[in-house]
Amino acid sequence: MASTKHQDSNLAELAKTKPPALYNVMLLNDDYTPMEFVVEVIQRFFGKSREQATQIMLKVHTEGMGVCGVYPHGIAETKTNQVLTHAREHQHPLQCTMEEA
Ligand code: TYC
C-alpha cells in the first residue's frame, strides 16, 4: 500500500531524531578529601557497589580523574551539582565535573 504524505513526513522527522548526547560525570583527585568519603559519594550518587566505588576512587586517586557514570545532559548536571553540594556541606574540597562522552 502506498504511504500518504503525512506518513512520509512522520518518517522523515523520525530519521532526523538523534539520540541525546551523553556526558561523563567525573571526580577529580585532591590531597584532602578522605578516601572513605569518596567511596560513599560514588555509592550514593552513582548507584555503584562498594567494590565498584572503591575501584573508581582508587583510579581517581592514582590517575587524577575517573568517570563515575554516563548520563544525558540534565541528569549529569543534577548529579554533578548534588556531589558538589554534598562535598561542600562536609567541608571537603572534592571536585566533580561533566564533559560530553
Ligand atoms: N587523594 C585523596 C587522599 O589521599 C583521596 C581522593 C580520591 C580524593 C578521589 C578525591 O576524587 C578523589 N585522601
Side-chain angles (χ1 to χ4, degrees), residues 40-98:
E40 286 168 4
V41 160
I42 298 168
Q43 287 186 260
R44 182 198 290 219
F45 295 105
F46 301 98
K48 303 297 187 189
S49 70
R50 179 100 193 150
E51 293 73 23
Q52 290 173 314
T54 301
Q55 282 195 354
I56 294 168
M57 182 280 293
L58 286 174
K59 183 185 170 72
V60 177
H61 177 69
T62 56
E63 298 178 23
M65 194 179 265
V67 177
C68 296
V70 185
Y71 309 96
H73 190 275
I75 295 171
E77 200 168 62
T78 299
K79 297 212 179 262
T80 300
N81 288 329
Q82 284 173 334
V83 170
L84 291 173
T85 297
H86 184 69
R88 254 182 251 121
E89 281 170 356
H90 292 265
Q91 290 164 2
H92 295 309
L94 181 63
Q95 290 300 304
C96 185
T97 187
M98 56 188 272

Side-chain angles (χ1 to χ4, degrees), residues 27-30 33-35 38 57 60-61 94:
L27 289 181
L28 277 58
N29 190 35
D30 66 70
T33 306
M35 290 185 176
V38 177
M57 182 280 293
V60 177
H61 177 69
L94 181 63

